[in-house]
């Protein structure tokens, strides 16, 4: 287990980054923890470094998104590591996402280090500085940020691996390596208790600290109390879900509904709501959106890698990339709220993208539209279609998170920063709806202290998309199906689908492994014929052990037998 409790490299990096501090004429080794403790900025820098492993996915698998391990998309380059999630190539000795364990425990290690060794400094030598009061106020808040980040990394671990070693104090690598696994119950309970412990003490709004505001500091991007409530709410939903709740304890669903409602109410009290322009949530300045976004992972480097991965084949340097499936496209309703399979929907199979839920056009690039700067030809023999190498295998290209204004050509390339939305309000309306449905057994009932029905929560999301309210006469099973569909389209390509299908224990069902595409042919009269295709072999392999990740064999060996492997691996 790669867990460190020594300042060492972290301090070296912080020392190199901490320019402009007052000279105090004392000699310190850059390996000495006392050096870090001398100033607010160096101690704060240790906590800032814990943010480095916040989640994002702009092609973490050599360009492939985790979405391409699900029925959301297919990566157009065969042989990519993403295929190990569904072709049987995944194992304890060939762990497909081994860095997840390493990164999370690195963050946990630094959080424990700060909480054990750095959180009680007073910086007495700087008491006369004009910013001392403001700095010490923000410094005192760092302990709550560290506790949130530690809980956040434990959530990432438990949703992937189940129970993991629950380490809450700094320890050396030898001691850390031999810690046994806690149960998933214990990890989820720790996350919940940590969030409850800090939700009322962590800073509520870094942009509104009054006379405690640091004039020279830009604190956007730091976690606040809404982030704490969001983590608690998401973790509560997972804890209630079938993968972690095999006995279907209804009280867990109740607590999940309560936690998600607490966040929704806190956001409302802050003046937050769903942003009118859905697509703006995934554009370059989304980190500035404080209307719906709760936490956005800020990426410091400016590049066009994501566009190179995902721009249509036919453009210079374009890779084709993560191509939305027909499964996803079919999930978008007609504007009248009816599924395309409904005989009364008005769906025209030969004009398949007309009168559809507006989120489709904001997420998926289709044949005949201008994307990114020319008319897209995804038909057979078209400029962006098969049989060109790496052209879309599904008939579609990705729009969501792709910056169409960038140029990726070798001679005139442009770049921009990309920022990943970790928490946004719409998710928690859908979380609440799921929890309420499973708690009450109905989409239309309230409960004590929970005065919003599941239907009302779903309709809040649908209203932003200008979709009609969900039907008012669905039984529980029908409502669950519509809710799952709503989550599919609203949260597409945001990293949820992979884990949703696992926590629901549905990932092995044939309907989610039968990947569908659209064969488009151009006729002599310039019209097109659209013929849906199915290729069940695309996701032919499944084993129920894959609901959870395997622990790397190297970690088990280092533990001296104290770490046990997940069943089946």
């Amino acid at each position: 287990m790669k867990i460190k409790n020594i300042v060492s490299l972290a301090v070296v990096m912080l020392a190199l980054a901490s320019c402009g501090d007052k000279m105090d004429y004392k000699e310190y080794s850059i390996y000495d923890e006392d050096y870090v403790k001398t100033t607010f900025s160096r101690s704060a820098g240790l906590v800032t470094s814990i943010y480095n492993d916040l989640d994002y996915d702009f092609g973490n698998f050599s360009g492939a998104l985790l979405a391409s391990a699900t029925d959301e998309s297919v990566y157009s380059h065969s042989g990519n590591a993403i295929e190990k999630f569904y072709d049987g190539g995944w194992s304890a000795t060939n762990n497909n996402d081994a860095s997840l364990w390493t990164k999370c425990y690195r963050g946990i290690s630094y959080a424990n280090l700060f909480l054990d060794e750095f959180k009680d400094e007073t910086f007495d030598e700087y008491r006369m500085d004009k910013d001392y009061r403001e700095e010490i106020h923000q410094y005192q808040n760092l302990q709550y940020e560290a506790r949130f980040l530690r809980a956040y990394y434990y959530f990432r671990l438990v949703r992937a691996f189940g129970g993991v070693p629950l380490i809450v104090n700094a320890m050396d690598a030898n001691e850390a390596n031999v810690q046994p696994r806690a149960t998933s119950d214990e990890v989820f309970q720790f996350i919940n208790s940590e969030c409850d412990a800090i939700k009322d003490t962590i800073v509520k709004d870094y942009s509104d600290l009054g006379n405690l505001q640091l004039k020279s500091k830009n604190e956007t991007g730091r976690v606040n109390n809404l982030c704490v409530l969001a983590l608690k709410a998401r973790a509560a939903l997972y804890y209630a879900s079938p993968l972690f709740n095999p006995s279907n304890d209804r009280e867990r669903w109740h607590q999940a509904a309560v936690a998600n409602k607490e966040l929704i109410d806190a956001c409302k009290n802050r003046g937050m709501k769903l942003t009118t322009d859905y697509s703006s949530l995934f554009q370059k300045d989304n980190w500035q959106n404080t209307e719906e976004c709760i936490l956005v992972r800020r990426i410091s480097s400016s590049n066009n890698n994501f566009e190179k991965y995902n721009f249509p084949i036919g453009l210079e340097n374009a890779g084709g990339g993560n191509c939305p499936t027909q499964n996803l496209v079919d999930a978008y309703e007609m504007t009248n709220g009816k599924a395309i399979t409904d005989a009364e929907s008005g769906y025209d199979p030969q004009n398949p993208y007309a009168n559809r839920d507006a989120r489709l056009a904001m997420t998926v690039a289709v044949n005949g539209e201008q994307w990114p700067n020319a008319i897209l030809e995804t038909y057979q023999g078209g400029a962006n279609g098969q049989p060109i190498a790496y052209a879309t295998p599904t008939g579609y290209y990705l729009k969501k998170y792709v910056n169409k204004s960038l140029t990726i050509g070798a001679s005139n390339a442009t770049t921009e920063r990309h920022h990943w939305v970790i928490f946004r309000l719409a998710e928690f309306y859908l979380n609440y709806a799921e929890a309420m449905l499973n708690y009450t057994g109905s989409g239309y009932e309230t409960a004590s202290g929970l005065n919003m029905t599941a239907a009302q929560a779903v309709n809040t999301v649908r209203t932003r998309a200008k979709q009609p309210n969900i039907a008012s006469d669905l039984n529980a099973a029908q409502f669950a199906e519509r809710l799952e569909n709503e989550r599919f389209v609203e949260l597409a390509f945001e990293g949820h689908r992979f884990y949703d299908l696992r926590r629901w224990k549905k990932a092995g069902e044939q309907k989610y492994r039968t990947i569908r595409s659209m064969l488009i042919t151009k006729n002599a009269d310039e019209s097109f014929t659209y013929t849906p295709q199915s290729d069940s072999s695309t996701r032919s392999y499944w084993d129920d052990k894959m609901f959870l990740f395997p622990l790397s064999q190297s970690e088990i060996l280092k533990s001296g037998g104290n770490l046990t492997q997940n069943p089946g691996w």
Side-chain angles (χ1 to χ4, degrees):
M1 188 183 301
K2 299 177 181 176
I3 304 175
K4 302 181 179 70
N5 77 319
I6 304 172
V7 182
S8 62
L9 180 60
V11 175
V12 174
M13 293 187 293
L14 293 171
L16 293 174
S18 298
C19 301
D21 293 322
K22 284 193 169 184
M23 294 181 66
D24 56 11
Y25 301 99
K26 291 186 177 181
E27 294 183 1
Y28 294 94
S29 164
I30 60 174
Y31 295 94
D32 188 343
E33 71 177 53
D34 288 338
Y35 177 80
V36 178
K37 291 179 177 180
T38 54
T39 69
F40 161 80
S41 62
R42 294 188 190 117
S43 294
L46 178 56
V47 174
T48 299
S49 71
I50 305 172
Y51 282 83
N52 289 340
D53 290 314
L54 285 176
D55 197 16
Y56 68 94
D57 186 5
F58 288 114
N60 289 347
F61 295 88
S62 301
L65 301 169
L66 198 57
S68 287
T70 76
D71 56 348
E72 282 183 325
S73 65
V74 176
Y75 197 60
S76 65
H77 297 243
S78 62
N80 186 277
I82 199 69
E83 296 172 8
K84 290 186 175 65
F85 283 117
Y86 56 78
D87 70 1
W90 193 15
S91 71
T93 55
N94 188 14
N95 194 319
N96 211 27
D97 197 2
S99 65
L100 173 62
W101 181 281
T102 302
K103 289 178 179 179
C104 288
Y105 273 114
R106 178 169 60 203
I108 291 165
S109 175
Y110 287 153
N112 286 338
L113 175 64
F114 179 84
L115 292 167
D116 282 3
E117 305 291 342
F118 290 87
K119 71 179 177 64
D120 295 321
E121 299 306 308
T122 57
F123 309 111
D124 289 340
E125 295 181 19
Y126 295 86
R127 283 186 180 274
M128 300 307 294
D129 281 11
K130 62 182 179 65
D131 292 332
Y132 177 80
R133 188 171 65 103
E134 292 87 345
E135 288 191 339
I136 202 68
H137 172 264
Q138 294 205 28
Y139 166 77
Q140 290 167 348
N141 188 68
L142 294 177
Q143 62 184 297
Y144 308 122
E145 293 184 41
R147 290 175 71 176
F148 165 86
L149 291 164
R150 181 174 63 182
Y152 167 85
Y153 290 125
Y154 272 121
F155 171 72
R156 290 190 65 194
L157 288 167
V158 73
R159 75 173 177 178
F161 297 100
V164 294
L166 189 55
I167 301 171
V168 296
N169 295 105
M171 56 181 65
D172 65 34
N174 290 331
E175 185 180 3
N177 285 338
V178 298
Q179 296 302 305
R181 298 176 70 173
T183 66
S184 59
D185 285 357
E186 290 169 331
V187 178
F188 277 114
Q189 288 161 9
F190 172 77
I191 295 167
N192 184 72
S193 64
E194 282 292 276
C195 290
D196 277 343
I198 66 175
K199 66 181 183 180
D200 295 324
T201 47
I202 195 170
V203 163
K204 288 182 170 56
D205 186 352
Y206 278 98
S207 66
D208 186 23
L209 293 178
N211 59 9
L212 292 174
Q213 191 79 42
L214 276 168
K215 308 301 186 298
S216 60
K217 300 286 185 179
N218 183 350
E219 301 295 349
T220 59
R222 287 193 177 277
V223 297
N224 58 22
N225 73 315
L226 294 182
C227 299
V228 175
L229 295 177
L231 175 61
K232 177 185 175 182
R234 185 186 285 177
L237 185 73
Y238 272 73
Y239 189 42
S241 299
L243 181 60
F244 300 105
N245 185 18
S247 66
N248 195 30
D249 180 355
R250 285 180 65 245
E251 181 56 25
R252 293 195 193 178
W253 290 111
H254 179 215
Q255 292 304 316
V258 170
N260 280 276
K261 186 63 161 56
E262 182 181 12
L263 171 67
I264 290 168
D265 289 345
C267 288
K268 286 182 177 178
N269 291 337
R270 195 74 58 86
M272 296 176 66
K273 60 183 180 180
L274 301 193
T275 296
T276 302
D277 183 2
Y278 174 81
S279 64
S280 70
L281 293 166
F282 315 104
Q283 295 173 0
K284 64 177 184 177
D285 294 325
N286 58 352
W287 66 272
Q288 297 180 5
N289 181 311
T290 56
E291 189 174 45
E292 179 173 346
C293 292
I294 297 167
L295 180 62
V296 178
R297 169 67 151 90
R298 306 266 297 275
I299 310 299
S300 59
S301 61
S302 181
N303 61 68
N304 58 16
N305 293 336
F306 194 63
E307 287 67 34
K308 285 181 177 178
Y309 291 144
N310 293 291
F311 270 175
I313 286 296
L315 298 181
E316 182 184 4
N317 287 338
N322 300 275
C323 301
T325 61
Q326 192 64 41
N327 308 49
L328 176 62
V329 172
D330 285 352
Y332 292 90
E333 300 169 347
M334 303 296 288
T335 54
N336 59 19
K338 297 182 183 297
I340 66 169
T341 53
D342 188 323
E344 299 179 355
S345 69
Y347 175 69
D348 180 356
Q350 296 309 315
N351 190 15
Y353 316 119
N355 302 316
R356 301 290 292 276
D357 181 333
R359 289 171 291 188
L360 173 59
M362 299 178 194
T363 305
V364 180
V366 304
N367 182 62
E369 74 167 298
Q370 184 167 310
W371 178 262
N373 52 20
I375 300 301
L376 195 59
E377 299 179 358
T378 62
Y379 56 85
Q380 291 290 299
N384 317 108
Q386 296 283 342
I388 302 172
Y390 311 130
T392 173
T394 66
Y396 305 104
Y397 288 103
L398 178 63
K399 280 186 176 179
K400 200 167 184 178
Y401 273 120
V402 178
N403 187 335
K404 70 175 184 178
S405 68
L406 293 186
T407 301
I408 62 173
S411 61
N412 57 349
T414 57
T415 62
E416 190 58 76
R417 293 182 179 182
H418 298 71
H419 309 293
W420 184 259
V421 178
I422 295 176
F423 298 132
R424 65 181 179 93
L425 184 54
E427 173 201 339
F428 297 95
Y429 278 104
L430 298 178
N431 290 358
Y432 176 84
E434 182 180 340
M436 280 294 283
L437 175 65
N438 283 279
Y439 175 54
T440 67
S442 168
Y444 314 102
E445 291 184 13
T446 59
S448 178
L450 298 167
N451 59 2
M452 178 169 58
T453 67
Q456 288 170 330
V458 174
N459 289 337
T460 300
V461 176
R462 291 174 64 82
T463 296
R464 189 254 300 279
K466 295 183 172 57
Q467 289 296 103
N469 286 348
I470 196 168
S472 59
D473 58 351
L474 303 177
N475 62 35
Q478 291 169 331
F479 193 99
E481 183 179 355
R482 300 314 301 155
L483 175 56
E484 180 185 319
N485 194 82
E486 193 68 31
R487 193 174 179 92
F488 195 17
V489 301
E490 173 69 22
L491 302 177
F493 297 99
E494 295 181 49
H496 292 279
R497 186 72 169 174
F498 181 91
Y499 289 105
D500 280 350
L501 292 178
R502 281 164 168 75
R503 67 180 177 86
W504 294 330
K505 299 193 75 172
K506 291 183 175 183
E509 295 180 17
Q510 190 64 43
K511 64 176 288 188
Y512 301 106
R513 295 190 291 115
T514 301
I515 304 303
R516 292 180 281 114
S517 60
M518 182 65 83
L519 175 65
I520 309 169
T521 53
K522 190 173 184 179
N523 304 316
D525 63 358
E526 301 295 313
S527 65
F528 297 99
T529 298
Y530 293 87
T531 310
Q533 307 286 303
S534 292
D535 182 5
S536 59
S537 65
T538 306
R539 304 283 191 269
S540 59
Y541 179 82
W542 177 262
D543 190 306
D544 282 353
K545 68 183 181 181
M546 298 193 301
F547 287 129
L548 293 173
F549 287 27
L551 276 66
S552 289
Q553 189 65 24
S554 61
E555 298 295 340
I556 293 175
L557 292 174
K558 284 189 291 186
S559 77
N562 286 316
L563 275 183
T564 56
Q565 182 58 273
N566 276 327
W569 291 105

